[in-house]
Amino acid sequence: MGSPKGCEPYGDRVPVVVAGVTTCQGGREGRPQGEGAQVIGYYDRKACAMQSAETVLGVLRDRGRKGLPCSELYRQMFNRDLYLLAYGRIYANQGAMTPGANTETADGMSEDKINQIIEAMRHERYRFSPVRRIYIPKKNGRMRPLGLPSWSDKLVGEVVRLLLEAYYEPTFSDHSHGFRPRRGCHTALRDVEQTWTGTTWFIEGDISDCFGSLNHEIMARILSEKIHDNRFLRLIKQMLKAGYLEDWKYHETLSGSPQGGVVSPILSNIYLHRLDVYVETVLIPQYTRGKYRRHNPEYERIKSRMRRAHARGDRDEARHLRRRLRRLPSGDPQDPGYRRLRYTRYADDHLLGSSDRRPKPRPSKASWRGSCATTSRLNSTRTRRWSPTPAPGQPATSAMRSSPSTATTRSPTADGRSTGPSRYEYRWT
């Protein structure tokens, strides 16, 4: 029979070893001999090639929509199409030519570079370089730390982001608008304008240093609930603990993800999704009452007068009453049997609104701080009391248009109402 030469086998049904490829059965690569990617079988067993990037991401979206776990996500780090897709998404960014801890930029990109990364991933030898930390000014005069990863780390991070976004995006709350496709500040403001009618009380929350204070253990625990692939989880842990260089001095990363990193936005959304779920399942049902508002007596009275004016042919009186009617709500704003709590979030900024005009039956500062600490280990660094809208007839969007300085410096009115929303800031603990 002889020995096989090149890629041509000799004989009939000779046992061969297939290594580093995906089998049609889809077994796990770490399984014992005879299963998964390392298989001792016969030559007539066919091996499946890597699927296209669109197919892989579509399957992940479908599994995320159905709530099915992912057990072999690390295998997709060998997919060349995903790296090409990631390169097409980030090569035109402004920071593509900005070097990180080394001189590597998008200018030196080639297919051989992708092959080297895939080969290192296949043998679990890829290591993330420390990010180069710089500081950029903020609007309030402070400095914001910004991490600049190397080009290879940006490319690998974009592949990880594509996989995580495809799986987790269908599960995110409709109240979340930050760092999501086809969503942004305008969708959050449109949601407030169109659905927050009748809102009188507001509370605004801001997480202090959100990216820089992510708890690595909690992040790994949240990811492991749906991703049952230890190699992929180890890759993310290595990314988070790569450290940073400040003035070319190495510092360990004990918590947080670098602001400026490719994966940081999707990781923060996965982390804060628990806060969204808590508000939707606990707070909103707790502070929601009634199905409809009772009719406004003043509205019904003017409406009846308008009908009588039409019946007797007095058009001027009917026109005058119609103008008055349009300025009044059809439902009773003081209805004690109707109450709504609304919520929206953009990245680490979140806003709660209540339609109850009474000062007592609303979430207190202590209850909101306790809920944040329970769900995401948040702690309030500065608190102020709840502030309703300036007048019963003013819409919610009018109060939101006021500048922060105006909203925080005006004194309360005689009945205890202020002129703008309160602002809360939280930090991770």
Side-chain angles (χ1 to χ4, degrees):
M1 241 163 73
S3 300
K5 298 178 181 179
C7 60
E8 308 233 348
Y10 279 62
D12 184 20
R13 299 175 63 84
V14 177
V16 295
V17 177
V18 183
V21 297
T22 305
T23 61
C24 296
Q25 280 84 357
R28 184 176 300 175
E29 295 187 6
R31 288 180 179 175
Q33 191 176 22
E35 300 180 13
Q38 290 189 344
V39 180
I40 292 183
Y42 291 98
Y43 186 75
D44 57 356
R45 172 179 286 184
K46 298 180 180 179
C48 298
M50 282 290 179
Q51 296 176 330
S52 64
E54 292 77 10
T55 303
V56 172
L57 298 180
V59 171
L60 287 176
R61 293 188 191 97
D62 187 60
R63 294 187 69 88
R65 194 177 298 110
K66 295 179 180 179
L68 301 176
C70 291
S71 58
E72 301 184 18
L73 204 55
Y74 187 82
R75 178 180 300 173
Q76 300 306 324
M77 302 303 296
F78 314 150
N79 195 329
R80 190 169 177 269
D81 286 349
L82 284 173
Y83 289 90
L84 295 177
L85 178 61
Y87 173 76
R89 287 176 176 263
I90 65 175
Y91 83 96
N93 294 347
Q94 294 181 357
M97 298 300 297
T98 303
N102 51 32
T103 58
E104 185 184 15
T105 61
D107 194 26
M109 185 61 188
S110 64
E111 293 185 1
D112 291 338
K113 174 69 71 175
I114 295 179
N115 295 333
Q116 293 174 10
I117 294 175
I118 292 177
E119 188 66 19
M121 285 289 179
R122 194 182 301 276
H123 298 283
E124 299 187 48
R125 291 199 298 259
Y126 186 86
R127 294 295 180 267
F128 289 91
S129 303
V131 299
R132 181 168 65 92
R133 173 169 288 188
I134 62 174
Y135 290 89
I136 58 176
K138 299 171 64 174
K139 292 182 179 180
N140 57 5
R142 300 179 181 177
M143 302 299 290
R144 183 192 305 275
L146 190 66
L148 302 178
S150 63
W151 170 252
S152 296
D153 293 348
K154 290 179 184 178
L155 187 63
V156 174
E158 178 65 15
V159 174
V160 173
R161 188 197 67 81
L162 288 172
L163 297 174
L164 291 177
E165 183 180 83
Y167 181 74
Y168 281 99
E169 175 62 27
T171 66
F172 286 155
S173 170
D174 290 336
H175 299 99
S176 173
H177 299 269
F179 307 120
R180 297 183 60 185
R182 297 176 296 277
R183 286 174 178 259
C185 297
H186 291 82
T187 58
L189 293 174
R190 190 181 305 118
D191 177 54
V192 172
E193 181 182 10
Q194 296 178 356
T195 63
W196 287 42
T197 55
T199 303
T200 55
W201 293 80
F202 295 90
I203 178 173
E204 182 185 3
D206 183 21
I207 300 173
S208 178
D209 191 19
C210 177
F211 287 167
S213 303
L214 287 174
N215 189 293
H216 292 171
E217 298 300 326
I218 296 179
M219 187 78 255
R221 187 164 64 247
I222 293 175
L223 291 175
S224 62
E225 293 177 357
K226 293 294 184 180
I227 300 177
H228 302 167
D229 189 340
N230 289 330
R231 294 197 298 174
F232 189 80
L233 296 177
R234 283 200 300 269
L235 181 68
I236 294 182
K237 288 181 181 179
Q238 293 171 5
M239 181 191 307
L240 295 176
K241 296 182 178 296
Y244 63 93
L245 295 178
E246 186 173 356
D247 295 332
W248 300 107
K249 183 179 180 181
Y250 177 77
H251 299 271
E252 293 184 356
T253 306
L254 303 179
S255 64
S257 180
Q259 188 159 355
V262 183
V263 195
S264 299
I266 184 65
L267 290 180
S268 66
N269 273 339
I270 295 173
Y271 202 110
L272 293 176
H273 178 64
R274 288 200 166 188
L275 181 62
D276 300 339
V277 172
Y278 178 83
V279 173
E280 293 173 354
T281 58
V282 178
L283 286 185
I284 290 181
Q286 181 180 356
Y287 293 96
T288 298
R289 180 185 300 173
K291 191 174 182 180
Y292 302 104
R293 290 183 185 271
R294 68 185 182 186
H295 294 294
N296 189 353
E298 181 67 15
Y299 183 91
E300 295 296 330
R301 186 178 64 83
I302 296 179
K303 187 177 181 180
S304 178
R305 289 178 54 188
M306 187 181 66
R307 288 200 193 100
R308 291 196 296 268
H310 272 294
R312 65 175 178 264
D314 192 349
R315 296 184 178 181
D316 294 337
E317 180 68 13
R319 190 180 301 110
H320 173 69
L321 293 174
R322 187 182 296 109
R323 293 196 190 100
R324 291 183 57 187
L325 198 65
R326 290 173 179 173
R327 292 195 295 266
L328 292 175
S330 60
D332 187 5
Q334 305 296 335
D335 184 7
Y338 182 87
R339 188 169 60 191
R340 289 291 183 273
L341 182 67
R342 298 176 176 89
Y343 168 78
T344 188
R345 180 177 66 83
Y346 180 85
D348 58 339
D349 298 316
H350 41 278
L351 184 69
L352 285 166
S354 175
S355 62
D356 199 332
R357 295 181 179 272
R358 297 174 298 168
K360 291 184 179 180
R362 65 178 188 274
S364 63
K365 298 184 300 183
S367 64
W368 177 246
R369 290 199 303 267
S371 63
C372 292
T374 303
T375 56
S376 303
R377 290 193 180 181
L378 293 174
N379 188 22
S380 173
T381 58
R382 184 183 64 176
T383 58
R384 295 180 183 175
R385 67 179 185 85
W386 279 64
S387 301
T389 49
Q394 182 180 359
T397 53
S398 300
M400 295 185 64
R401 294 192 192 103
S402 60
S403 62
S405 59
T406 304
T408 55
T409 56
R410 292 183 182 177
S411 58
T413 57
D415 55 352
R417 292 198 300 264
S418 179
T419 56
S422 296
R423 183 173 180 83
Y424 289 73
E425 289 188 357
Y426 298 92
R427 59 180 174 86
W428 299 93
T429 59

